Amino acid sequence: MLKQYLQFKLSQKLSPQQIQLMKLIQLPTQAFEQRLKQELEENPALDTGKESDAKDNELDEFDNSQDDYNDNDTIDTGDINVDEYLSDDEIPDYRTHANNYSADDDEKSIPYAAGTSFTQHLISQLNTFRLNDQEYEIAQFLVGSVDESGYIRRSLSDITDDLAFTQNIYTEESEVEKVLGIVHQLDPAGVGARNLQECLSIQLNRKEQHPDVALATKIINKAFDQFTKKHYKKLLQKFSVTEEQLKDAIEEIENLNPKPGGSYAGSNRMVEHVVPDFAIKIVEGELELTLNGRNAPELHVSRTYNNMLKGYKESKEKTKSQKDAVMFIKQKLDAAKWFIEAVRQRQQTLFVTMSSIMHYQKEYFLTGDERNLKPMILKDIADEIEMDVSTVSRVANSKYVDTPYGTKLIKEFFSESMTNDQGEEVSTREIKKILETVVEEEDKKKPLTDDKLAGILKEKGYPIARRTVAKYREQLDIPVARLRKKI
């Protein structure tokens, strides 16, 4: 038996324009400049900079000569309302420039690290070794497999297969391993290692040999698991050494580089400097907020395109070709006007959101003391500025602000709250800062367990559970007590 029934569903869909606006809001300054450049290249109806006072040359595309058309080409143009695209002013101005933006347009170039890439640096060293053609090609392939940290993360069997399928080099794992040994002789020391243990072992073998290095090498090669777990008593027994000897050997290991690729200035990564999207200054005891001027371009609709519409409107006879041209112009003008309005809304949204955050955290911005950060979640700001939480999130997660205390990612000012023993709401950032200080000042020979840390925080007026301490410790990238132990 068939049943019929009605189902009502309430849903909200964003228009393509709203989606594009959200994407614009999410872009940091440098990415926004790239997006602006792209739009200017793609839409000739959009101009940037101050409009020229000089009168544009008259266009002859829409003169009254109809030599190329017959009578049948004339068309009815009642469906094209040109007037709505022509303002009362001769040249409608949609510039978005305002006076609450900082004048920091001088340095617009994006700085990158100079020099050769990490891969090129390694390949250039291969020429110092005696290799036949196949060995050289294998070595090049291995170097190309080195990641940004300096490691080769793939198995030799996978590399051997890839050599056959992609390079037409048919070889054995034993030969690949032999060539890998040559790669291990390249600088920086430790490059091409397959794991941390091998990386540290390579570096120790390259060091000048003395008793401390010899013991460190034994620890890495024969007791790596005990070393990483800081089972120092087991190491003392295994190698029959004194505590002082073990301490010296561990110091040798701690001075090694666990990421040899990261130490090379000409790494594959381009080092892009952070450009603050906002700046906060203290002027006569009051906070002053400015939006980076690079987010406030002067935009307007092209004078040429407006003149083309005027020429079309004034012509007595309209041809099909002219109508097609006008439809194209209308499309570009619509896109230009929308983009200008979207940029204006982006500026307003960024400024209003950051202004609200600044006033909410006024005490912090005046002092720079993280303990003065108030509990603040996205909804607090969203409610205050009457915008969606997702909009605030887009601003907070991708924007930086220049403060008297350094350049900060805006999302760092957000934190949950908890109640202290006096019934006051405090920021979890405040608790994390105290936790960090307690760990820094602890006796590293007897580091504090999470239970003891919870006890200390309780004494300071923050009654939180051990599991919460563990969560905060992990968020701060602080290892467990056993791994913080030193001899």
PDB file of all heavy atoms in Angstrom, residues 189-215:
ATOM      1  N   ALA A 189      75.188  16.521   7.572  1.00  0.00           N
ATOM      2  CA  ALA A 189      75.315  15.177   8.129  1.00  0.00           C
ATOM      3  C   ALA A 189      73.953  14.664   8.599  1.00  0.00           C
ATOM      4  O   ALA A 189      73.194  15.379   9.247  1.00  0.00           O
ATOM      5  CB  ALA A 189      76.294  15.197   9.301  1.00  0.00           C
ATOM      6  N   GLY A 190      73.672  13.409   8.236  1.00  0.00           N
ATOM      7  CA  GLY A 190      72.410  12.792   8.631  1.00  0.00           C
ATOM      8  C   GLY A 190      71.372  12.788   7.531  1.00  0.00           C
ATOM      9  O   GLY A 190      70.326  12.154   7.655  1.00  0.00           O
ATOM     10  N   VAL A 191      71.659  13.486   6.413  1.00  0.00           N
ATOM     11  CA  VAL A 191      70.687  13.562   5.332  1.00  0.00           C
ATOM     12  C   VAL A 191      70.537  12.192   4.668  1.00  0.00           C
ATOM     13  O   VAL A 191      71.489  11.430   4.550  1.00  0.00           O
ATOM     14  CB  VAL A 191      71.113  14.631   4.299  1.00  0.00           C
ATOM     15  CG1 VAL A 191      72.293  14.162   3.465  1.00  0.00           C
ATOM     16  CG2 VAL A 191      69.959  14.998   3.396  1.00  0.00           C
ATOM     17  N   GLY A 192      69.309  11.871   4.251  1.00  0.00           N
ATOM     18  CA  GLY A 192      69.042  10.596   3.584  1.00  0.00           C
ATOM     19  C   GLY A 192      68.753   9.457   4.537  1.00  0.00           C
ATOM     20  O   GLY A 192      68.543   8.316   4.106  1.00  0.00           O
ATOM     21  N   ALA A 193      68.729   9.747   5.839  1.00  0.00           N
ATOM     22  CA  ALA A 193      68.428   8.690   6.818  1.00  0.00           C
ATOM     23  C   ALA A 193      66.984   8.251   6.680  1.00  0.00           C
ATOM     24  O   ALA A 193      66.121   9.025   6.246  1.00  0.00           O
ATOM     25  CB  ALA A 193      68.697   9.206   8.229  1.00  0.00           C
ATOM     26  N   ARG A 194      66.726   6.993   7.066  1.00  0.00           N
ATOM     27  CA  ARG A 194      65.368   6.479   6.941  1.00  0.00           C
ATOM     28  C   ARG A 194      64.563   6.627   8.228  1.00  0.00           C
ATOM     29  O   ARG A 194      63.349   6.445   8.233  1.00  0.00           O
ATOM     30  CB  ARG A 194      65.418   5.007   6.506  1.00  0.00           C
ATOM     31  CG  ARG A 194      65.824   4.833   5.052  1.00  0.00           C
ATOM     32  CD  ARG A 194      66.291   3.439   4.730  1.00  0.00           C
ATOM     33  NE  ARG A 194      67.623   3.158   5.288  1.00  0.00           N
ATOM     34  CZ  ARG A 194      68.279   2.019   5.117  1.00  0.00           C
ATOM     35  NH1 ARG A 194      67.718   1.043   4.417  1.00  0.00           N
ATOM     36  NH2 ARG A 194      69.472   1.852   5.639  1.00  0.00           N
ATOM     37  N   ASN A 195      65.226   6.925   9.310  1.00  0.00           N
ATOM     38  CA  ASN A 195      64.547   7.153  10.587  1.00  0.00           C
ATOM     39  C   ASN A 195      65.472   7.953  11.504  1.00  0.00           C
ATOM     40  O   ASN A 195      66.636   8.205  11.163  1.00  0.00           O
ATOM     41  CB  ASN A 195      64.137   5.828  11.246  1.00  0.00           C
ATOM     42  CG  ASN A 195      65.304   4.849  11.331  1.00  0.00           C
ATOM     43  OD1 ASN A 195      66.359   5.174  11.868  1.00  0.00           O
ATOM     44  ND2 ASN A 195      65.111   3.649  10.777  1.00  0.00           N
ATOM     45  N   LEU A 196      64.972   8.341  12.653  1.00  0.00           N
ATOM     46  CA  LEU A 196      65.742   9.179  13.575  1.00  0.00           C
ATOM     47  C   LEU A 196      66.988   8.448  14.082  1.00  0.00           C
ATOM     48  O   LEU A 196      68.063   9.040  14.196  1.00  0.00           O
ATOM     49  CB  LEU A 196      64.858   9.596  14.752  1.00  0.00           C
ATOM     50  CG  LEU A 196      65.539  10.434  15.841  1.00  0.00           C
ATOM     51  CD1 LEU A 196      66.085  11.732  15.277  1.00  0.00           C
ATOM     52  CD2 LEU A 196      64.571  10.711  16.999  1.00  0.00           C
ATOM     53  N   GLN A 197      66.852   7.161  14.380  1.00  0.00           N
ATOM     54  CA  GLN A 197      67.994   6.402  14.884  1.00  0.00           C
ATOM     55  C   GLN A 197      69.147   6.416  13.885  1.00  0.00           C
ATOM     56  O   GLN A 197      70.299   6.675  14.233  1.00  0.00           O
ATOM     57  CB  GLN A 197      67.568   4.952  15.181  1.00  0.00           C
ATOM     58  CG  GLN A 197      68.695   4.101  15.769  1.00  0.00           C
ATOM     59  CD  GLN A 197      68.241   2.686  16.073  1.00  0.00           C
ATOM     60  OE1 GLN A 197      67.163   2.258  15.665  1.00  0.00           O
ATOM     61  NE2 GLN A 197      69.053   1.945  16.810  1.00  0.00           N
ATOM     62  N   GLU A 198      68.841   6.159  12.610  1.00  0.00           N
ATOM     63  CA  GLU A 198      69.875   6.156  11.578  1.00  0.00           C
ATOM     64  C   GLU A 198      70.447   7.557  11.390  1.00  0.00           C
ATOM     65  O   GLU A 198      71.663   7.727  11.207  1.00  0.00           O
ATOM     66  CB  GLU A 198      69.293   5.641  10.261  1.00  0.00           C
ATOM     67  CG  GLU A 198      70.341   5.446   9.170  1.00  0.00           C
ATOM     68  CD  GLU A 198      69.777   4.761   7.942  1.00  0.00           C
ATOM     69  OE1 GLU A 198      68.765   5.253   7.394  1.00  0.00           O
ATOM     70  OE2 GLU A 198      70.338   3.734   7.521  1.00  0.00           O
ATOM     71  N   CYS A 199      69.604   8.573  11.471  1.00  0.00           N
ATOM     72  CA  CYS A 199      70.047   9.959  11.316  1.00  0.00           C
ATOM     73  C   CYS A 199      71.072  10.333  12.387  1.00  0.00           C
ATOM     74  O   CYS A 199      72.122  10.914  12.088  1.00  0.00           O
ATOM     75  CB  CYS A 199      68.835  10.899  11.393  1.00  0.00           C
ATOM     76  SG  CYS A 199      69.244  12.639  11.260  1.00  0.00           S
ATOM     77  N   LEU A 200      70.788   9.998  13.639  1.00  0.00           N
ATOM     78  CA  LEU A 200      71.706  10.313  14.746  1.00  0.00           C
ATOM     79  C   LEU A 200      72.983   9.493  14.647  1.00  0.00           C
ATOM     80  O   LEU A 200      74.085   9.987  14.912  1.00  0.00           O
ATOM     81  CB  LEU A 200      71.014  10.057  16.087  1.00  0.00           C
ATOM     82  CG  LEU A 200      69.760  10.892  16.371  1.00  0.00           C
ATOM     83  CD1 LEU A 200      69.137  10.495  17.703  1.00  0.00           C
ATOM     84  CD2 LEU A 200      70.089  12.373  16.351  1.00  0.00           C
ATOM     85  N   SER A 201      72.846   8.232  14.233  1.00  0.00           N
ATOM     86  CA  SER A 201      74.016   7.352  14.097  1.00  0.00           C
ATOM     87  C   SER A 201      74.972   7.881  13.028  1.00  0.00           C
ATOM     88  O   SER A 201      76.200   7.891  13.221  1.00  0.00           O
ATOM     89  CB  SER A 201      73.555   5.934  13.743  1.00  0.00           C
ATOM     90  OG  SER A 201      74.664   5.073  13.588  1.00  0.00           O
ATOM     91  N   ILE A 202      74.436   8.332  11.887  1.00  0.00           N
ATOM     92  CA  ILE A 202      75.272   8.896  10.804  1.00  0.00           C
ATOM     93  C   ILE A 202      76.045  10.102  11.315  1.00  0.00           C
ATOM     94  O   ILE A 202      77.246  10.253  11.057  1.00  0.00           O
ATOM     95  CB  ILE A 202      74.386   9.286   9.596  1.00  0.00           C
ATOM     96  CG1 ILE A 202      73.803   8.041   8.926  1.00  0.00           C
ATOM     97  CG2 ILE A 202      75.190  10.099   8.587  1.00  0.00           C
ATOM     98  CD1 ILE A 202      72.706   8.355   7.922  1.00  0.00           C
ATOM     99  N   GLN A 203      75.363  10.969  12.058  1.00  0.00           N
ATOM    100  CA  GLN A 203      76.020  12.179  12.559  1.00  0.00           C
ATOM    101  C   GLN A 203      77.122  11.847  13.562  1.00  0.00           C
ATOM    102  O   GLN A 203      78.193  12.472  13.562  1.00  0.00           O
ATOM    103  CB  GLN A 203      74.984  13.105  13.206  1.00  0.00           C
ATOM    104  CG  GLN A 203      74.010  13.705  12.195  1.00  0.00           C
ATOM    105  CD  GLN A 203      72.986  14.601  12.849  1.00  0.00           C
ATOM    106  OE1 GLN A 203      73.333  15.614  13.454  1.00  0.00           O
ATOM    107  NE2 GLN A 203      71.713  14.247  12.730  1.00  0.00           N
ATOM    108  N   LEU A 204      76.883  10.858  14.419  1.00  0.00           N
ATOM    109  CA  LEU A 204      77.896  10.469  15.404  1.00  0.00           C
ATOM    110  C   LEU A 204      79.125   9.866  14.730  1.00  0.00           C
ATOM    111  O   LEU A 204      80.266  10.101  15.145  1.00  0.00           O
ATOM    112  CB  LEU A 204      77.296   9.474  16.410  1.00  0.00           C
ATOM    113  CG  LEU A 204      76.321  10.070  17.435  1.00  0.00           C
ATOM    114  CD1 LEU A 204      75.583   8.972  18.179  1.00  0.00           C
ATOM    115  CD2 LEU A 204      77.065  10.971  18.420  1.00  0.00           C
ATOM    116  N   ASN A 205      78.903   9.090  13.674  1.00  0.00           N
ATOM    117  CA  ASN A 205      80.023   8.480  12.941  1.00  0.00           C
ATOM    118  C   ASN A 205      80.876   9.539  12.245  1.00  0.00           C
ATOM    119  O   ASN A 205      82.068   9.300  11.984  1.00  0.00           O
ATOM    120  CB  ASN A 205      79.502   7.480  11.905  1.00  0.00           C
ATOM    121  CG  ASN A 205      78.936   6.230  12.543  1.00  0.00           C
ATOM    122  OD1 ASN A 205      79.328   5.854  13.650  1.00  0.00           O
ATOM    123  ND2 ASN A 205      77.997   5.577  11.878  1.00  0.00           N
ATOM    124  N   ARG A 206      80.286  10.695  11.942  1.00  0.00           N
ATOM    125  CA  ARG A 206      81.025  11.768  11.269  1.00  0.00           C
ATOM    126  C   ARG A 206      81.786  12.652  12.260  1.00  0.00           C
ATOM    127  O   ARG A 206      82.603  13.482  11.859  1.00  0.00           O
ATOM    128  CB  ARG A 206      80.038  12.647  10.461  1.00  0.00           C
ATOM    129  CG  ARG A 206      79.286  11.898   9.369  1.00  0.00           C
ATOM    130  CD  ARG A 206      79.974  12.012   8.022  1.00  0.00           C
ATOM    131  NE  ARG A 206      79.876  13.343   7.451  1.00  0.00           N
ATOM    132  CZ  ARG A 206      78.896  13.751   6.657  1.00  0.00           C
ATOM    133  NH1 ARG A 206      77.895  12.922   6.357  1.00  0.00           N
ATOM    134  NH2 ARG A 206      78.912  14.968   6.150  1.00  0.00           N
ATOM    135  N   LYS A 207      81.484  12.523  13.549  1.00  0.00           N
ATOM    136  CA  LYS A 207      82.133  13.364  14.561  1.00  0.00           C
ATOM    137  C   LYS A 207      83.527  12.834  14.913  1.00  0.00           C
ATOM    138  O   LYS A 207      83.835  11.650  14.714  1.00  0.00           O
ATOM    139  CB  LYS A 207      81.279  13.431  15.835  1.00  0.00           C
ATOM    140  CG  LYS A 207      79.998  14.241  15.678  1.00  0.00           C
ATOM    141  CD  LYS A 207      79.158  14.200  16.932  1.00  0.00           C
ATOM    142  CE  LYS A 207      79.730  15.081  18.034  1.00  0.00           C
ATOM    143  NZ  LYS A 207      79.492  16.511  17.786  1.00  0.00           N
ATOM    144  N   GLU A 208      84.346  13.702  15.465  1.00  0.00           N
ATOM    145  CA  GLU A 208      85.658  13.270  15.953  1.00  0.00           C
ATOM    146  C   GLU A 208      85.448  12.281  17.093  1.00  0.00           C
ATOM    147  O   GLU A 208      84.702  12.537  18.041  1.00  0.00           O
ATOM    148  CB  GLU A 208      86.436  14.500  16.448  1.00  0.00           C
ATOM    149  CG  GLU A 208      87.833  14.175  16.938  1.00  0.00           C
ATOM    150  CD  GLU A 208      88.557  15.394  17.488  1.00  0.00           C
ATOM    151  OE1 GLU A 208      88.083  16.531  17.235  1.00  0.00           O
ATOM    152  OE2 GLU A 208      89.567  15.206  18.173  1.00  0.00           O
ATOM    153  N   GLN A 209      86.102  11.143  16.991  1.00  0.00           N
ATOM    154  CA  GLN A 209      85.844  10.067  17.939  1.00  0.00           C
ATOM    155  C   GLN A 209      86.601  10.267  19.257  1.00  0.00           C
ATOM    156  O   GLN A 209      87.803  10.491  19.273  1.00  0.00           O
ATOM    157  CB  GLN A 209      86.222   8.717  17.326  1.00  0.00           C
ATOM    158  CG  GLN A 209      85.405   8.350  16.102  1.00  0.00           C
ATOM    159  CD  GLN A 209      83.911   8.242  16.400  1.00  0.00           C
ATOM    160  OE1 GLN A 209      83.501   7.514  17.312  1.00  0.00           O
ATOM    161  NE2 GLN A 209      83.100   8.974  15.640  1.00  0.00           N
ATOM    162  N   HIS A 210      85.856  10.201  20.355  1.00  0.00           N
ATOM    163  CA  HIS A 210      86.428  10.202  21.711  1.00  0.00           C
ATOM    164  C   HIS A 210      85.450   9.437  22.586  1.00  0.00           C
ATOM    165  O   HIS A 210      84.353   9.070  22.140  1.00  0.00           O
ATOM    166  CB  HIS A 210      86.702  11.625  22.211  1.00  0.00           C
ATOM    167  CG  HIS A 210      85.545  12.569  22.131  1.00  0.00           C
ATOM    168  ND1 HIS A 210      84.486  12.532  22.999  1.00  0.00           N
ATOM    169  CD2 HIS A 210      85.283  13.580  21.265  1.00  0.00           C
ATOM    170  CE1 HIS A 210      83.628  13.484  22.700  1.00  0.00           C
ATOM    171  NE2 HIS A 210      84.087  14.124  21.627  1.00  0.00           N
ATOM    172  N   PRO A 211      85.802   9.150  23.866  1.00  0.00           N
ATOM    173  CA  PRO A 211      84.956   8.268  24.693  1.00  0.00           C
ATOM    174  C   PRO A 211      83.481   8.672  24.762  1.00  0.00           C
ATOM    175  O   PRO A 211      82.607   7.804  24.728  1.00  0.00           O
ATOM    176  CB  PRO A 211      85.619   8.358  26.076  1.00  0.00           C
ATOM    177  CG  PRO A 211      87.056   8.632  25.780  1.00  0.00           C
ATOM    178  CD  PRO A 211      87.056   9.492  24.554  1.00  0.00           C
ATOM    179  N   ASP A 212      83.194   9.955  24.852  1.00  0.00           N
ATOM    180  CA  ASP A 212      81.787  10.392  24.946  1.00  0.00           C
ATOM    181  C   ASP A 212      81.025  10.060  23.671  1.00  0.00           C
ATOM    182  O   ASP A 212      79.874   9.593  23.718  1.00  0.00           O
ATOM    183  CB  ASP A 212      81.718  11.905  25.207  1.00  0.00           C
ATOM    184  CG  ASP A 212      82.262  12.279  26.575  1.00  0.00           C
ATOM    185  OD1 ASP A 212      82.364  11.380  27.430  1.00  0.00           O
ATOM    186  OD2 ASP A 212      82.597  13.464  26.779  1.00  0.00           O
ATOM    187  N   VAL A 213      81.657  10.296  22.501  1.00  0.00           N
ATOM    188  CA  VAL A 213      81.016   9.996  21.218  1.00  0.00           C
ATOM    189  C   VAL A 213      80.854   8.488  21.048  1.00  0.00           C
ATOM    190  O   VAL A 213      79.827   8.018  20.544  1.00  0.00           O
ATOM    191  CB  VAL A 213      81.833  10.595  20.050  1.00  0.00           C
ATOM    192  CG1 VAL A 213      81.267  10.147  18.709  1.00  0.00           C
ATOM    193  CG2 VAL A 213      81.854  12.114  20.133  1.00  0.00           C
ATOM    194  N   ALA A 214      81.877   7.725  21.480  1.00  0.00           N
ATOM    195  CA  ALA A 214      81.820   6.257  21.375  1.00  0.00           C
ATOM    196  C   ALA A 214      80.651   5.710  22.188  1.00  0.00           C
ATOM    197  O   ALA A 214      79.893   4.837  21.717  1.00  0.00           O
ATOM    198  CB  ALA A 214      83.138   5.649  21.841  1.00  0.00           C
ATOM    199  N   LEU A 215      80.482   6.224  23.408  1.00  0.00           N
ATOM    200  CA  LEU A 215      79.367   5.766  24.246  1.00  0.00           C
ATOM    201  C   LEU A 215      78.036   6.202  23.647  1.00  0.00           C
ATOM    202  O   LEU A 215      77.077   5.419  23.619  1.00  0.00           O
ATOM    203  CB  LEU A 215      79.517   6.319  25.666  1.00  0.00           C
ATOM    204  CG  LEU A 215      78.393   5.965  26.658  1.00  0.00           C
ATOM    205  CD1 LEU A 215      78.206   4.447  26.760  1.00  0.00           C
ATOM    206  CD2 LEU A 215      78.683   6.567  28.038  1.00  0.00           C
TER     207      LEU A 215
END
